[in-house]
């Protein structure tokens, strides 16, 4: 039934579901902006204080997935890791340590346009589109895990 909805809808639904299940460990999803085709890019923070900005007091860690539209397994692995951290927070010392001592940011779908394109061309899976859908001269594509400039984020 969720698969009847576009990927960006069910990915947002899963993030909302995580927040309902673990409100003390995951933030409300934040819109980082819109893609070329108008899809939202969502981010969340996992921490023992998900709704408090702890920059300067705890190191930040960033995970993302689906730079390449044809690699949905990366999104699944990322979400499984998020669930593992939250499900094991009370019982696993590693999960507890990470959530107590880090701000961990997640963007499960960096390339929702490319992912949606694969779903439209190959609805049963196996689409080979890799890049995003930004017009780039005479073609549509930008490889999102390339062209980070030296020193980004500093």
């Amino acid at each position: 039934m969720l698969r009847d909805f576009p990927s960006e809808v069910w990915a947002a639904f899963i993030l909302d579901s995580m927040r309902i299940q673990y409100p003390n460990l995951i933030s409300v999803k934040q819109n980082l902006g819109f893609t070329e085709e108008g899809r939202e890019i969502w981010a969340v923070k996992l921490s023992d204080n998900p709704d408090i900005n702890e920059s300067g007091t705890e190191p930040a860690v960033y995970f993302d997935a689906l730079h390449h539209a044809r690699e949905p397994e990366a999104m699944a692995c990322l979400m499984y890791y998020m669930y593992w951290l939250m499900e094991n927070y009370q019982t696993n010392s590693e999960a507890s340590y990470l959530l107590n001592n880090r701000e961990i940011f997640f963007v499960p779908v960096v390339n929702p346009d490319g992912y949606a394109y694969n779903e439209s061309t190959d609805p049963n899976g196996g689409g080979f589109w890799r890049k995003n859908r930004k017009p780039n001269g005479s073609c549509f594509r930008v490889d999102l895990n390339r062209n980070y400039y030296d020193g980004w984020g500093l």
Side-chain angles (χ1 to χ4, degrees):
M1 57 187 127
L2 271 180
R3 291 302 303 150
D4 294 336
F5 294 96
S7 59
E8 69 272 11
V9 172
W10 63 262
F13 174 81
I14 292 169
L15 296 177
D16 290 340
S17 297
M18 288 177 173
R19 173 66 179 194
I20 291 167
Q21 288 180 280
Y22 302 100
N24 297 322
L25 297 176
I26 186 170
S27 69
V28 172
K29 69 182 185 294
Q30 300 292 313
N31 178 351
L32 297 181
F34 292 89
T35 66
E36 185 72 23
E37 294 180 350
R39 292 179 178 84
E40 293 174 290
I41 301 173
W42 296 110
V44 293
K45 180 178 103 170
L46 270 63
S47 170
D48 62 335
N49 298 304
D51 300 319
I52 298 171
N53 182 348
E54 299 173 291
S55 64
T57 61
E58 290 185 354
V61 181
Y62 173 73
F63 291 94
D64 62 37
L66 269 173
H67 270 89
H68 293 150
R70 64 181 177 208
E71 298 172 354
E73 297 88 354
M75 177 184 59
C77 289
L78 188 75
M79 289 194 170
Y80 280 127
Y81 181 56
M82 293 167 67
Y83 271 118
W84 182 86
L85 286 168
M86 293 182 290
E87 289 170 352
N88 292 286
Y89 176 66
Q90 298 291 333
T91 59
N92 181 286
S93 61
E94 184 177 346
S96 298
Y97 178 83
L98 289 171
L99 291 177
N100 288 337
N101 296 286
R102 300 288 183 269
E103 290 186 299
I104 309 174
F105 297 91
F106 293 89
V107 178
V109 184
V110 173
N111 184 4
D113 289 349
Y115 192 39
Y117 180 76
N118 272 342
E119 287 180 321
S120 70
T121 60
D122 294 275
N124 294 319
F128 289 110
W129 188 263
R130 168 187 164 117
K131 300 175 182 184
N132 75 357
R133 301 291 296 160
K134 180 175 176 57
N136 186 18
S138 62
C139 58
F140 290 98
R141 63 181 164 270
V142 173
D143 197 339
L144 296 177
N145 73 339
R146 305 279 196 271
N147 306 321
Y148 289 113
Y149 62 91
D150 183 41
W152 69 275
L154 295 178

